[in-house]
Structures are given as structure tokens and as C-alpha cells.
Amino acid sequence: MTAQAIIQSLASGLLMGLLYGLIAVGLALIFGLMDVVNFAHGEFLMIAMYVSFFLFTFFAIDPLLSAPLVAAALFVLGAVVYLLVVRFAMRAKANAGMVQIFSTFGLAIVMRGLAQFFFTPDYRSIPQSWLGGKTVSIAGIFLPEPQLVGALVSIAAFAGLYFFINRTDFGRALEATREDPGAVALVGIDKNRVFALGWGLGAALVGLAGAIMAVFFYIYPDVGASFALIAYVTVALGGFGSVFGAFAGGIVVGLVEAVTALMLPPSLKSVGIYAVYLLVVFIRPRGLFGSM
């Protein structure tokens, strides 16, 4: 095992970690805003990948160009899901937590079933795109262009989210609603509107990730499940409700996955992720950046 091989693996892990962070940020945003875990988060990613695929197939729009369109479509989907499903689940008088869990879990099953019905379980891919199959060499380290662009998009999206939350009126309303949903109604802030836009924003972030990942990942109805599991671990690792923690946790997960793949067979690369997660749970149960 040479130093170059180790650096190559770490660089690849960092690129994937930034994408993991982008996926997890949307999940952390929704949880931090409403204390609701979206168990359909992986299915949102799956829908984003299918939207990107069909935009390429029928309209020849490269995934790099369609990423903003996919994010916009997922924003609408996220807001609609809140208004039609989650809003009513939150009104449950008894066992509200379980109702919220099963509502989003049931939504995930429905979305996956509809995808299997309409799109079939077949694996699909985007055969030719601007970035597909291309690499960049930096000091002898080869970086796949799709992952490199995805990492840059992740950084830009997180920077935009940070600015949005900390420098805009709606971002302040989002934070205020997160701190005290009851008090914001007294100053004229519509809690349901803020929640709907928060769900839309969280879905838009995973939509961006899905559009980029469609370039180098197979697309099928169950594709979101594995990434959703990583996203849950990432959010818990970074700290529930911490957007920065989720992004940083994604980087940690990507690097740990890469290091594990160097020492163990590739099929066991997830072992390192869960081992680190369990270690953090024992030492710091609220996560690396959590405040709960």
C-alpha cells in the first residue's frame, strides 16, 4: 500500500463525503425545524435521479444543466408532502411521534412501489453526459469529474444555505420557528408556511445531490434506501438538528468509508462507518456538533 494509493483513496472518500453531507443536510434541516425524521428521504433522492434521467432521455438535457430544474421539482414535492401528509400527522393527539414516523415510512413505501410500477425494477443509467467517465489528474491523483463537480456543488449549496439561514428574513423566521413554534404565531409568522418551505428546501438539497449522482450511479426504485441509511447515520454522527454537523459528518463518513475500503474487502466498507458511529454514540451521544 503506497502513499499515493492512500491519498487517492482519501481524495475519493472526501468527494463522496461531500455528497453524503449534501444529502444529510436536507434531513438535518427538517429534523431541526420540526423534530420529524423524514423516513422517505431516500425516496426523494430516488425521485430526483429519475427526474434527471428522464430529462436527459426525452429532452437531452445534461444532468449538470438539469440539476437546478430537479432541485426546483423536489422543492415543490417536499412542500406538497408536508401540506398533504406531514401537517396532518403532526396534529395527532396521541402517540404523535409514532404517527409521524409511520406516515413518512408509509410514504416511502408508497413512493417506492409507484416507482416500481411505473418505471419497472430495471436498472437504468445515463450513458453519455458531459462528465460521465472523465477524470482530472492533480499531482498524480485521479479524481472522477462527476464526483468532483458534485463536491463543488455540495460546497456551494451549503454556503448558500448558510447565507440563507443567517442573512435573510426568511432564514431568521426559520430559526425563530425552530426555537419556539408557538411564539412565532404571536408576531404574525405562519408556522405552516415556514414548515412547508423548510420541507421544500430540504427536498431541494437532496434533489441537487440526486441530479449529480445520476451521472455515475445506477437508477432503480431501491437506490435511495442505502443512501438514506448513510444519511441517518451522518445526521446522528454530526448531531441531530445541526445543519453544519450533518455536512461535517458527511465528510467524516466519506473518509472513514475510504479508509475502511483500504483495509477490508470493498463489500465491508460500511463496517467502519457504523463502528465510528457507535464510538461517537458512546462517547458523545448528542453527536459531534449536536447541542441536545
Side-chain angles (χ1 to χ4, degrees), residues 77-245:
L77 176 62
V80 168
V81 164
Y82 170 76
L83 293 173
L84 297 183
V85 179
V86 180
R87 180 171 55 133
F88 297 102
M90 293 180 66
R91 294 178 181 175
K93 301 299 182 182
N95 297 321
M98 294 301 295
V99 172
Q100 293 163 16
I101 289 173
F102 283 112
S103 62
T104 57
F105 186 74
L107 176 65
I109 295 174
V110 170
M111 292 173 68
R112 200 179 307 174
L114 289 175
Q116 290 179 347
F117 178 78
F118 287 107
F119 308 140
T120 74
D122 295 341
Y123 283 59
R124 303 168 189 263
S125 63
I126 296 177
Q128 296 178 340
S129 65
W130 293 349
L131 302 176
K134 298 179 181 178
T135 59
V136 174
S137 177
I138 301 176
I141 304 302
F142 294 94
L143 304 176
E145 286 191 12
Q147 285 93 324
L148 180 60
V149 171
L152 296 175
V153 168
S154 299
I155 294 171
F158 180 74
L161 178 66
Y162 181 85
F163 176 84
F164 179 77
I165 290 177
N166 293 281
R167 296 289 186 270
T168 67
D169 290 338
F170 177 75
R172 296 186 185 97
L174 198 71
E175 284 295 296
T177 306
R178 174 178 175 172
E179 292 294 329
D180 194 337
V184 295
L186 300 176
V187 294
I189 297 177
D190 186 347
K191 181 179 69 174
N192 281 319
R193 180 172 175 270
V194 172
F195 283 166
L197 293 176
W199 266 76
L201 187 58
L205 292 170
V206 80
L208 273 178
I212 299 298
M213 292 176 66
V215 176
F216 60 92
F217 246 93
Y218 283 112
I219 305 164
Y220 56 100
D222 292 332
V223 67
S226 57
F227 290 107
L229 188 58
I230 291 176
Y232 300 141
V233 170
T234 300
V235 170
L237 183 66
F240 278 105
S242 172
V243 172
F244 174 78

Side-chain angles (χ1 to χ4, degrees), residues 230-291:
I230 291 176
Y232 300 141
V233 170
T234 300
V235 170
L237 183 66
F240 278 105
S242 172
V243 172
F244 174 78
F247 194 68
I251 296 174
V252 172
V253 165
L255 292 174
V256 169
E257 184 181 57
V259 171
T260 306
L262 280 175
M263 299 184 294
L264 298 176
S267 59
L268 299 177
K269 64 181 181 180
S270 296
V271 170
I273 298 173
Y274 300 115
V276 170
Y277 166 65
L278 289 174
L279 180 64
V280 171
V281 167
F282 285 125
I283 297 175
R284 189 178 172 86
R286 64 180 179 272
L288 296 175
F289 300 94
S291 58

